[in-house]
């Protein structure tokens, strides 16, 4: 038990230090903007991450010195709780105490958990509620029968957590498919179907989702259209399935992945754990035939992989287990150090570049007027940046992609004819400015730099007279 808490609290401490030192990525800034106007859903995702950020702001004072410890706080605590759930699931499946803390260690050393788990994105609540539901469902499935009172409580917890998972990310619907698979394919599951417990769990799962459904009805399915529109069936890809398999092996690290495969081959004592991730992984295999699988999509499966690996590592040599941990640590810590070290950009890529160069760029902006933008990432970064440098009175509004910003309420009427500073990424549509504003000034180009390297260039103009009637009737 002491080792388990040492692993969990140790990694939580590392993530808190990271959160305090590394500025927000663009998506986090955008979600922080969501938290300033809480709603039951948003165009891009369900609302749970906005709730997490708002709660963190209450505890930690919001955006702390511009780097957003408050934005990330609840997500980091959720990932620490997920570590404990992973360990307890290992215990429920017969794992010895050493297997329990190893499961937590393997979970935290997963390169995906190390990276994505350090940020405030929908993957954090999605993974936490996925594991909370799986943990409760596994307890409900333990052989005492779902008809007993305690079993019913676990079913209800599993259902509620599954519903909150859907309120985090729509991919959590696959967890429900996994439960259906377990119920119809196993003797325990078919016995449970003869009791009220699974049906009450469905009702418990639906309850948290009702506000989201109502929101989408009122907004003509805006959130559903965005997310379910990602289901693609285009031309077959030869490399897609190979890339997917590489992700499944590399993210946990190859030896830990081999431990997990060994546990599957030896048969896990209760198939509920396998069923909890089987539909998700099967769909991604199908999706990979037509499009790439972003690594963060695999986050919900990281807990099950860690549990299986800890069980499969039993019987392996001490030396092999040490090599497995060393290799995983090298990938996880090495990748984070290369991408997000505060001195120089060693590894390129969109995510690390999003965290750099903003204070100097903000200081270089002309001080006159409110700030107008045309894309969500820049809107979030400039909005957060203004708060971070202590200039909350300078308003930041997007004048494009209006479907993303209904949660902010009406556009301020006093900005319709006021002077604004339009900031757009270089290379944007050259006709965009004329479509958005009546009066357009000369263009200047500003660089966002880090360590002497130009990360991105932006076109800046003074403008006035918002044209869009949806903003300024």
């Amino acid at each position: 038990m002491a080792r388990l808490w040492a692993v969990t609290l140790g990694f939580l401490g590392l993530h808190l230090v990271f959160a305090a030192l590394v500025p927000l990525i663009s998506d986090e800034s955008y979600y922080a903007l969501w938290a300033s106007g809480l709603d039951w859903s948003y165009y891009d995702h369900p609302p749970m991450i906005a709730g997490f950020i708002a709660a963190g702001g209450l505890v930690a004072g919001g955006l702390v010195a511009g780097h957003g410890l408050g934005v990330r706080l609840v997500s980091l605590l959720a990932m620490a709780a997920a570590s404990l759930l992973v360990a307890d699931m290992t215990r429920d499946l017969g794992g010895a105490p050493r297997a329990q803390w190893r499961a937590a260690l393997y979970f935290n050393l997963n390169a995906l958990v190390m990276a994505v788990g350090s940020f405030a994105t929908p993957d954090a609540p999605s993974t936490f509620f996925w594991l909370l539901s799986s943990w409760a469902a596994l307890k409900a499935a333990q052989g005492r029968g779902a008809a007993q009172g305690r079993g019913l409580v676990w079913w209800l917890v599993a259902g509620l957590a599954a519903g909150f998972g859907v309120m985090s990310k729509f991919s959590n619907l696959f967890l429900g498919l996994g439960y259906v698979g377990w119920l119809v394919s196993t003797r325990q599951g078919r016995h449970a179907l003869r009791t009220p417990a699974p049906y009450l769990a469905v009702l418990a799962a639906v309850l948290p989702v009702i506000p989201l459904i109502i929101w989408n009805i009122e907004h003509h399915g805006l959130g559903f259209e965005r997310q379910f529109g990602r289901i693609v069936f285009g031309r077959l890809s030869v490399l897609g399935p190979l890339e997917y398999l590489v992700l499944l092996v590399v993210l946990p690290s190859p030896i830990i992945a081999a431990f997990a495969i060994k546990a599957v081959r030896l048969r896990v004592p209760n198939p509920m754990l396998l069923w909890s991730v089987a539909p998700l992984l099967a769909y991604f295999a199908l999706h990979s035939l037509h499009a790439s699988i972003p690594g963060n999509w695999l986050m919900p499966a990281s807990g099950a992989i860690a549990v299986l690996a800890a069980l499969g590592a039993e019987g392996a040599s001490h030396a092999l287990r040490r090599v497995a941990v060393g290799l995983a640590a090298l990938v996880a810590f090495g990748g984070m150090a290369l991408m997000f070290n505060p001195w120089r950009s060693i590894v390129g890529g969109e995510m690390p570049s999003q965290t750099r160069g903003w204070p100097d760029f903000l200081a270089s902006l002309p001080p006159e007027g409110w700030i107008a933008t045309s894309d969500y990432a820049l809107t979030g970064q400039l909005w957060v940046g203004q708060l971070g440098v202590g200039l909350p009175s300078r308003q930041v509004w997007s004048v494009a992609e209006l479907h993303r910003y209904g949660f902010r309420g009406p556009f301020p009427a006093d900005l319709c004819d006021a002077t604004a500073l339009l900031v757009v990424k270089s290379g944007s549509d050259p006709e965009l400015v004329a479509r958005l504003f009546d009066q357009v000034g000369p263009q200047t180009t500003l660089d966002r730099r880090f360590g002497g390297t130009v990360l991105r260039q932006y076109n800046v103009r003074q403008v006035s007279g918002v044209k869009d009637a949806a903003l300024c009737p």
Side-chain angles (χ1 to χ4, degrees), residues 23-33 72 119-121 350-356 358 375-382 384 425 448 456 458:
L24 301 177
I25 62 173
S26 295
D27 280 359
E28 288 180 296
S29 299
Y30 180 47
Y31 302 141
L33 181 57
R72 293 173 174 148
F119 296 100
T121 70
E350 184 66 20
M351 181 176 281
S353 73
Q354 292 173 18
T355 67
R356 292 170 166 154
W358 289 106
D375 74 88
Y376 81 91
L378 190 54
T379 301
Q381 287 286 14
L382 295 179
V384 164
K425 295 175 183 176
R448 180 165 57 88
R456 188 177 285 277
Y458 300 86

Side-chain angles (χ1 to χ4, degrees), residues 7-299:
V7 167
T8 300
L9 295 179
F11 278 96
L12 174 60
L14 288 173
H15 288 304
L16 288 172
V17 171
F18 179 93
L21 296 178
V22 177
L24 301 177
I25 62 173
S26 295
D27 280 359
E28 288 180 296
S29 299
Y30 180 47
Y31 302 141
L33 181 57
W34 287 9
S36 70
L38 293 176
D39 207 344
W40 287 113
S41 190
Y42 300 88
Y43 168 67
D44 302 83
H45 284 292
M48 189 61 71
I49 187 59
F52 270 36
I53 292 172
L58 291 175
V59 174
L63 300 172
V64 182
H67 52 57
L69 178 60
V71 169
R72 293 173 174 148
L73 179 61
V74 177
S75 292
L76 301 189
L77 294 175
M79 296 310 295
S83 175
L84 297 176
L85 293 172
V86 164
D88 199 61
M89 284 193 287
T90 307
R91 182 185 67 84
D92 285 341
L93 290 172
R98 62 179 179 271
Q100 296 166 36
W101 70 261
R102 279 194 200 117
L105 181 63
Y106 293 166
F107 174 73
N108 284 285
L109 284 178
N110 186 301
L112 194 57
V113 174
M114 177 63 69
V116 181
S118 295
F119 296 100
T121 70
D123 298 296
S126 166
T127 301
F128 167 69
F129 286 116
W130 187 295
L131 289 172
L132 179 62
S133 181
S134 301
W135 169 78
L138 186 60
K139 290 185 178 299
Q142 297 296 89
R144 298 184 179 182
Q148 295 185 9
R150 192 173 179 183
L152 176 59
V153 170
W154 288 127
W155 274 111
L156 293 176
V157 172
L160 276 172
F164 286 124
V166 174
M167 291 293 281
S168 305
K169 207 170 181 182
F170 287 131
S171 56
N172 283 54
L173 289 166
F174 285 106
L175 179 59
L177 292 179
Y179 291 155
V180 171
W182 180 84
L183 285 166
V184 301
S185 68
T186 67
R187 180 166 27 171
Q188 276 183 302
R190 290 189 294 271
H191 173 73
L193 283 174
R194 294 194 290 271
T195 74
Y199 309 102
L200 292 174
V202 171
L203 290 177
V206 169
L207 285 176
V209 185
I210 290 174
L212 180 145
I213 295 172
I214 294 173
W215 185 94
N216 272 276
I217 292 172
E218 292 175 345
H219 292 79
H220 309 289
L222 186 65
F224 294 154
E225 177 184 351
R226 163 68 171 167
Q227 290 301 318
F228 292 108
R230 295 186 175 189
I231 299 175
V232 296
F233 296 99
R235 299 178 62 181
L236 289 178
S237 168
V238 177
L239 293 179
L242 179 60
E243 293 172 350
Y244 176 48
L245 289 174
V246 169
L247 284 175
L248 288 173
V249 171
V250 170
L251 291 175
S253 89
I255 298 177
I256 291 176
F259 287 159
I261 293 170
K262 175 186 173 183
V264 174
R265 290 175 55 199
L266 295 176
R267 296 192 179 182
V268 182
N270 193 313
M272 172 65 82
L273 180 69
L274 297 178
W275 273 110
S276 71
V277 295
L280 180 81
L281 297 179
Y283 169 73
F284 288 159
L286 177 64
H287 189 98
S288 71
L289 295 172
H290 307 279
S292 296
I293 302 295
N296 66 295
W297 288 11
L298 296 173
M299 274 281 286

Side-chain angles (χ1 to χ4, degrees), residues 439-459:
Q439 304 296 323
V440 178
Q443 174 181 296
T444 59
T445 300
L446 298 177
D447 298 335
R448 180 165 57 88
R449 296 173 173 269
F450 178 77
T453 301
V454 176
L455 299 175
R456 188 177 285 277
Q457 292 186 317
Y458 300 86
N459 297 334

